[in-house]
Amino acid sequence: MLQNSAKTVARRAGLARLVASAARGTRSISVTSPALAAEVLSGTNLAKRIRSTAADAITVKQNEVPGFKPSLVIIQVGSRPDSSAYVRMKLKASKESNIHCEVIRLAEDVSERELLNHIEKLNDDTNVHGVLIQLPLPKHIDEVKITNSVVSAKDVDGFDRYNTGELAKRGGQPLFLPCTPHGCMKLLEESGVELSGKHAVVIGRSDIVGTPVAAMLRNADCTVTIVHSRSTNIPEIVRGADIVVAAVGRPNFVKGEWIKPGAVVIDVGINYVADSTKKSGQRLVGDVEYETAKEKASFITPVPGGVGPMTIAMLVENVKLAAERQLQKESQLARITPLPLKLLDPVPSDIAISRAQTPRHITDIAEELGIKDSELEPYGHYKAKVSLDVFKRLEHRRENGYYVLVAGITPTPLGEGKSTTTMGIVQALGAHLGLPAIANVRQPSMGPTFGVKGGAAGGGYAQVIPMDEFNMHLTGDIHAIGAANNLLAAAIDTRMFHEATQGDKALYKRLVPVKKGKRSFSPSMLKRLSKLGIQETNPDSLSEEEAAKFARLDINPDTITVKRVLDVNDRFVRGVTIGEAPTEKGFTRKTGFDITVASELMAILALSSDLHDLRNRVGTMVIGSNHQGVPITTEDVGCAGAITALLKDAIKPNLMQTLEGTPVFVHAGPFANISIGASSVIADKVALKLAGRPVGSDARKGFVVTEAGFDFTMGGERFFNIKCRASGLKPDVTVLVATVRALKLHGGAPDVKPGQSLPEEYLQENVELVRAGCANLAKQIANAKTYGSPVVVAINQFSTDTAEEIEAIRQEALKAGALDAVPTNHWAQGGIGAENLAHAVVKAAASNESTTPQFLYDLDQTVEQKLTTIAQKMYGADGIELSDLAKEQVKRYESQGFGNLPICIAKTQYSLSHDPKLKNVPSGFTVPIREVKISAGAGYLYALAAAIMTIPGLPTHAGFMNVEVDEKGDIEGLF
């Protein structure tokens, strides 16, 4: 600390005269020594003050943000005494400054690769703000490579190539200044010396001190000279310096006679010299001969107690700064840079539009969303998987964004554009209204893509791109589901075969074999033992009765619910006989195939909250019952762990983008007929945090827009009653997509069929047909409002629609209780064509203060009561009729303890009823339930109404007939 005394005043007066002379161009001035005897620049006192200020600032921030805790990790290789001493000082200073600090100590002979592995883990750890490599490192390790491996945002030493490069540039902006040079500059600042225009000499050119301090002095407008071991006439050069920074590492190298009267001396050196008067036999000195230099200098730093404490103080300041930056970055709302659209008229094909747009690199979109590099796994340039660590990081730091559900009225076979509307809303919100907005959609099955339905990327100028990658393979999640499902199917049949061909002892012996002289139960086996009430965990200690009870699942083949799957619309495997090969010894069984997205594993993927939850759900899947009526699970079969292993990557949501560069999460693809028909709970939770705002902030929240398969009566009903029960989330607003075409159909116009020309009624104005069909729209609005969700109707326009027809829909929607009804033309105009709809969604979401989901039925009702409630309240039916088989299944599930699960009905999407011929709002019908099946792992039951199928077939002219690959390798013909 500088002393405020008469002597100090005199010194400063002398220095002032020196500075004034220098300003007039005089390089040196002769003044008497007493007036210029050096004042000590105490780094100890200044450092203490800096650390205290940092500690106070951290405490204040922690009061504002309880989770704020700056954290430093020091990696020390070997056990050099000097390094250990420095590490102890850094630990002590960190603790005093309210910074969490830990040390990773590695052996002297640690490999470079192992050291890099530690650094990479710390780079990825969001709880670590600063990473410091204690130098020097052993000779077998490349210091430059190691220091450059620390990510720039955590390089609190300021040594990596980005920070050093930016420091070296004129006007550069390093994230961190290197600690020792920064400490030197702080000491110069404390001296009060005006640096601009001064001549500074830096002795030493190391990357740690000499070179960076020279750059910092140059940036302060000093004229800088660097001298080093090969420089000639060093004393003469130093004599011309107004500021001397000695960092050469040689004791007492700089002599007092070299120092210009009134110069400021910063001594960075730390050297030990022999001293018999000291107990240790040595004492610490700097690079400057202190006793002679202090008689010439105006200010001088002591050794020890000068630059050393400042180095640690600047480290503390850098760690605090790193933590504040990370907090600020995590507090920023997502800001997406949109892609411009070049709209053409007439609108080209979907694949042509997709191909014409150059997507943004997915890493750029992830960065703007606030996803860290360590949380992203790119698959090529335009798609990536996102780690669930994002949600863990933001769970308690962010409020959720607004949650928007897109559903529809009862559609025509041509579809009414829910996916297109979903993309249009998000493009409008994100690219035109400047709000954080993310679309969450299902991954499409390749079955419909190559069949008659086509892809599910949206269409026109409101779609996911690249649409060919979206519709085919993506990142392989559906293939993983297929492999896992078929493993389970094979395990079930194999287990039945082995039980039928072996006695109890042989079966048990083979199930629990001796390996390396020891027998042990697998984790799944231990769970089965617990389920059976067998406490013994030593395989050799079970009684014969216990061993037989454990080994024999005794599956009743007639109760097996698991079929094999494939992602193709193959009608010829709906029913098959397996076991026909002679090696199966006559053990045949009739079964069949489902489409992959109908697998219960797909529903589990969609409804799980994390990997642990997925593992538990997989284990509780009921694959059938034994002959005594006891349910048999995947855990009993012993392959729950293997299935989870196959799905460990599939559980991560996929990130893509719209045509206008706004983000899209694509995850899970549960079959809309028999399952929830929506994207995953995980994707919704991750997206809601990314689109949300920091806890306690009053910033505008962003939006997550997702969709429900088919019309609201099917997709919306199970979205609320099944998905919202699993997630605990509730949509803030429901958007119902309606078209003139569909309402004309419900108003009495002739049927429309894919591949055939539209009847004249759809091409000419007919307001009466539209108004008559609006009864279906009114019913869907009423259905949505049952769950407490405000409704906005999106009138998806077609070129043949007239203003009078659109206005009729708007009037009828408002009369039925919708908050708004907005014409939208995103198919032809992209986000700009959905701006009015986006404004309506924003207004509706902000008006809904209720966040508690409302459900249609109570879980403690009987299965039949729940089915009746759905049929009556959602469909308008008189009731239901259970077949004998369905009655038997319901009785079994209720006796097994599954009666309290939610339930959905698999039926046609083309009518509110079970009969596709019954249009508009039919009445006086009864819904026939032919079967009731269980998805215990997914957590619901589902009933099959009428003749619904779980694997579609291909039409005469299928979509695959149009698909080709051109000479460039681009896919053509998708629609």
Side-chain angles (χ1 to χ4, degrees):
M1 181 77 69
L2 301 179
Q3 304 298 318
N4 187 8
S5 63
K7 187 176 180 181
T8 301
V9 172
R11 290 190 190 114
R12 286 189 172 168
L15 181 62
R17 291 193 297 274
L18 171 67
V19 172
S21 296
R24 292 192 298 268
T26 304
R27 292 295 303 271
S28 63
I29 187 169
S30 176
V31 282
T32 61
S33 293
L36 292 175
E39 183 170 338
V40 176
L41 286 174
S42 173
T44 300
N45 294 333
L46 178 56
K48 184 177 180 181
R49 194 163 74 239
I50 290 171
R51 295 201 311 269
S52 177
T53 301
D56 291 343
I58 291 169
T59 300
V60 170
K61 183 63 70 176
Q62 286 173 335
N63 291 333
E64 298 172 359
V65 184
F68 181 72
K69 185 65 176 177
S71 173
L72 169 67
V73 175
I74 302 170
I75 298 180
Q76 180 184 358
V77 179
S79 55
R80 284 176 52 130
D82 54 346
S83 291
S84 297
Y86 295 145
V87 167
R88 286 194 297 271
M89 288 189 288
K90 291 167 184 175
L91 279 167
K92 182 175 182 292
S94 297
K95 184 177 181 180
E96 292 173 352
S97 304
N98 204 8
I99 290 174
H100 173 74
C101 182
E102 61 180 275
V103 181
I104 297 175
R105 291 184 170 87
L106 303 175
E108 181 84 15
D109 60 352
V110 67
S111 71
E112 187 173 88
R113 181 65 260 172
E114 186 179 349
L115 175 55
L116 287 168
N117 288 342
H118 280 282
I119 295 170
E120 287 166 7
K121 288 179 182 178
L122 295 173
N123 285 342
D124 293 344
D125 189 342
T126 57
N127 294 315
V128 174
H129 304 107
V131 178
L132 186 151
I133 313 300
Q134 184 62 46
L135 301 178
L137 293 171
K139 292 183 179 180
H140 69 280
I141 293 177
D142 184 340
E143 281 192 2
V144 174
K145 183 177 182 179
I146 295 301
T147 53
N148 281 332
S149 70
V150 178
V151 67
S152 298
K154 297 186 180 186
D155 174 35
V156 290
D157 249 342
F159 287 167
D160 86 318
R161 60 170 59 92
Y162 174 84
N163 286 315
T164 55
E166 285 296 300
L167 178 60
K169 287 163 52 179
R170 180 182 176 87
Q173 295 182 324
L175 294 175
F176 301 103
L177 296 172
C179 299
T180 300
H182 195 192
C184 294
M185 297 302 290
K186 283 288 185 181
L187 286 165
L188 286 170
E189 179 184 319
E190 184 72 5
S191 74
V193 173
E194 172 62 44
L195 298 180
S196 179
K198 300 298 185 298
H199 180 206
V201 172
V202 178
I203 307 172
R205 56 178 174 176
S206 75
D207 292 334
I208 295 176
V209 180
T211 300
V213 82
M216 295 169 77
L217 286 164
R218 184 202 65 209
N219 291 337
D221 295 325
C222 288
T223 300
V224 182
T225 302
I226 299 178
V227 298
H228 48 81
S229 61
R230 295 185 180 275
S231 299
T232 59
N233 203 18
I234 293 176
E236 187 62 30
I237 296 173
V238 173
R239 287 189 184 99
D242 302 311
I243 298 162
V244 177
V245 179
V248 72
R250 294 170 64 179
N252 297 321
F253 177 74
V254 180
K255 310 303 180 184
E257 64 190 57
W258 300 1
I259 304 299
K260 175 183 177 180
V264 181
V265 178
I266 305 295
D267 190 351
V268 184
I270 298 178
N271 312 286
Y272 288 93
V273 297
D275 188 340
S276 60
T277 66
K278 300 292 184 181
K279 184 178 180 181
S280 63
Q282 57 184 9
R283 62 186 170 89
L284 192 62
V285 299
D287 290 351
V288 177
E289 194 174 73
Y290 183 79
E291 292 301 324
T292 58
K294 73 178 183 179
E295 298 303 322
K296 302 285 287 294
S298 57
F299 295 93
I300 190 169
T301 58
V303 177
V307 175
M310 291 300 298
T311 298
I312 296 175
M314 293 301 97
L315 173 63
V316 166
E317 187 68 25
N318 279 353
V319 175
K320 178 180 77 73
L321 179 61
E324 290 171 340
R325 281 182 179 148
Q326 179 172 308
L327 179 64
Q328 181 183 22
K329 188 173 183 180
E330 291 178 348
S331 300
Q332 291 174 343
L333 297 182
R335 287 191 174 276
I336 300 300
T337 305
L339 286 171
L341 279 183
K342 185 179 290 185
L343 303 175
L344 298 179
D345 186 16
V347 176
S349 68
D350 291 349
I351 188 69
I353 292 172
S354 174
R355 190 71 39 77
Q357 183 69 294
T358 301
R360 302 177 61 208
H361 276 222
I362 203 66
T363 51
D364 294 338
I365 290 177
E367 182 179 5
E368 292 180 344
L369 271 178
I371 298 170
K372 297 179 179 292
D373 289 345
S374 60
E375 297 165 340
L376 194 74
E377 300 172 17
Y379 280 63
H381 297 305
Y382 308 126
K383 57 183 183 286
K385 281 200 164 292
V386 175
S387 168
L388 275 57
D389 290 343
V390 175
F391 180 76
K392 295 177 186 176
R393 174 168 59 86
L394 299 177
E395 182 176 9
H396 302 296
R397 300 179 183 179
R398 289 278 187 95
E399 296 178 13
N400 285 342
Y402 289 114
Y403 195 28
V404 180
L405 174 64
V406 176
I409 64 172
T410 306
T412 69
L414 303 179
E416 310 316 307
K418 288 194 309 300
S419 297
T420 307
T421 301
T422 298
M423 298 307 148
I425 293 172
V426 168
Q427 289 176 207
L429 289 168
H432 299 277
L433 302 191
L435 293 170
I438 303 170
N440 278 14
V441 294
R442 290 179 292 162
Q443 179 181 350
S445 165
M446 285 193 295
T449 296
F450 290 137
V452 67
K453 178 179 178 294
Y461 287 103
Q463 59 171 297
V464 186
I465 58 171
M467 67 96 75
D468 50 348
E469 294 186 26
F470 174 84
N471 285 308
M472 296 173 62
H473 300 298
L474 198 58
T475 57
D477 293 349
I478 290 181
H479 301 315
I481 292 287
N485 182 96
N486 292 341
L487 170 64
L488 175 58
I492 293 167
D493 285 307
T494 298
R495 185 60 171 266
M496 290 193 298
F497 172 81
H498 288 306
E499 287 187 25
T501 55
Q502 298 178 60
D504 290 347
K505 291 184 179 179
L507 180 64
Y508 181 67
K509 182 179 179 180
R510 288 181 170 87
L511 275 175
V512 194
V514 176
K515 293 183 178 180
K516 296 181 180 179
K518 184 180 179 180
R519 301 175 78 191
S520 60
F521 291 120
S522 68
S524 282
M525 291 177 175
L526 291 172
K527 291 181 180 181
R528 174 159 172 77
L529 289 169
S530 177
K531 173 182 175 180
L532 296 173
I534 300 173
Q535 303 301 317
E536 186 58 63
T537 58
N538 181 354
D540 296 323
S541 300
L542 267 64
S543 66
E544 289 187 7
E545 181 182 357
E546 287 174 332
K549 185 178 180 182
F550 163 81
R552 292 204 174 274
L553 301 182
D554 193 27
I555 299 170
N556 181 347
D558 296 334
T559 66
I560 294 174
T561 57
V562 176
K563 295 181 179 180
R564 287 161 176 82
V565 298
L566 70 169
D567 197 28
V568 177
N569 289 1
D570 189 352
R571 67 176 68 241
F572 290 98
V573 294
R574 288 171 179 163
V576 299
T577 301
I578 60 173
E580 293 284 4
T583 50
E584 275 48 76
K585 304 178 181 179
F587 289 96
T588 60
R589 182 171 73 86
K590 290 188 178 297
T591 180
F593 280 72
D594 287 333
I595 196 164
T596 304
V597 292
S599 167
E600 182 180 351
L601 290 175
M602 180 61 86
I604 287 174
L605 181 70
L607 292 170
S608 296
S609 58
D610 52 36
L611 186 61
H612 179 71
D613 184 35
L614 182 138
R615 172 63 179 82
N616 289 337
R617 287 175 178 270
V618 168
T620 57
M621 278 181 65
V622 173
I623 60 93
S625 303
N626 65 14
H627 286 90
Q628 290 73 47
V630 177
I632 302 299
T633 67
T634 303
E635 204 75 77
D636 292 321
V637 178
C639 62
I643 288 172
T644 306
L646 288 170
L647 301 181
K648 74 177 183 67
D649 291 322
I651 198 171
K652 302 169 188 174
N654 305 293
L655 182 63
M656 295 189 74
Q657 63 191 286
T658 67
L659 273 167
E660 296 190 61
T662 55
V664 180
F665 275 118
V666 186
H667 198 217
F671 201 28
N673 288 97
I674 67 166
S675 187
I676 64 168
S679 67
S680 73
V681 167
I682 286 172
D684 287 358
K685 286 188 171 182
V686 170
L688 283 166
K689 292 301 179 186
L690 291 170
R693 64 187 175 194
V695 172
S697 169
D698 58 357
R700 294 181 73 183
K701 294 193 294 186
F703 288 78
V704 174
V705 184
T706 189
E707 62 177 287
F710 299 146
D711 67 337
F712 187 90
T713 298
M714 289 179 68
E717 179 272 314
R718 53 193 73 175
F719 188 97
F720 278 94
N721 290 317
I722 297 177
K723 185 177 179 181
C724 289
R725 273 191 164 102
S727 68
L729 301 170
K730 176 197 172 182
D732 295 290
V733 58
T734 295
V735 175
L736 282 178
V737 181
T739 62
V740 168
R741 181 176 66 194
L743 294 175
K744 283 183 175 179
L745 174 66
H746 291 299
D751 284 346
V752 296
K753 296 180 180 179
Q756 297 184 11
S757 299
L758 286 172
E760 282 300 310
E761 288 85 346
Y762 296 96
L763 304 177
Q764 298 177 358
E765 181 179 289
N766 193 320
V767 177
E768 291 73 20
L769 279 178
V770 172
R771 285 194 183 277
C774 279
N776 184 276
L777 172 60
K779 173 60 176 170
Q780 300 286 14
I781 291 171
N783 284 349
K785 293 183 70 175
T786 299
Y787 301 94
S789 176
V791 176
V792 171
V793 173
I795 307 172
N796 190 15
Q797 289 182 273
F798 291 83
S799 59
T800 54
D801 300 343
T802 68
E804 288 76 11
E805 290 171 331
I806 296 293
E807 178 59 21
I809 297 173
R810 195 187 72 81
Q811 292 174 2
E812 295 297 326
L814 295 176
K815 189 189 302 182
L819 281 184
D820 206 346
V822 185
T824 180
N825 194 20
H826 42 271
W827 180 80
Q829 297 178 354
I832 198 169
E835 274 197 62
N836 290 337
L837 176 60
H839 282 297
V841 167
V842 171
K843 183 178 179 180
S847 70
N848 183 18
E849 297 181 357
S850 172
T851 57
T852 304
Q854 298 178 30
F855 304 119
L856 190 65
Y857 50 76
D858 295 327
L859 293 180
D860 56 5
Q861 290 180 286
T862 66
V863 172
E864 187 170 357
Q865 287 172 333
K866 283 181 275 198
L867 288 171
T868 300
T869 299
I870 294 172
Q872 291 178 339
K873 293 187 176 181
M874 290 287 103
Y875 309 160
D878 291 341
I880 64 167
E881 181 180 357
L882 295 174
S883 70
D884 290 342
L885 174 60
K887 289 177 182 176
E888 176 188 328
Q889 291 167 327
V890 168
K891 182 179 179 181
R892 179 165 72 247
Y893 298 144
E894 289 182 334
S895 69
Q896 292 174 341
F898 299 115
N900 63 344
L901 294 177
I903 194 168
C904 62
I905 299 176
K907 70 174 190 67
T908 179
Q909 66 268 35
Y910 299 126
S911 171
L912 286 169
S913 75
H914 62 285
D915 185 350
K917 296 177 182 178
L918 300 179
K919 303 301 182 185
N920 214 349
V921 186
S923 60
F925 62 93
T926 299
V927 179
I929 304 297
R930 79 170 195 265
E931 280 190 75
V932 176
K933 295 191 174 184
I934 188 169
S935 291
Y940 64 88
L941 302 168
Y942 63 96
L944 301 179
I948 200 71
M949 294 176 295
T950 55
I951 183 168
L954 291 168
T956 304
H957 183 86
F960 66 79
M961 295 179 177
N962 302 314
V963 178
E964 286 290 350
V965 179
D966 66 18
E967 293 180 358
K968 297 179 182 178
D970 293 331
I971 297 171
E972 304 289 353
L974 289 172
F975 61 99

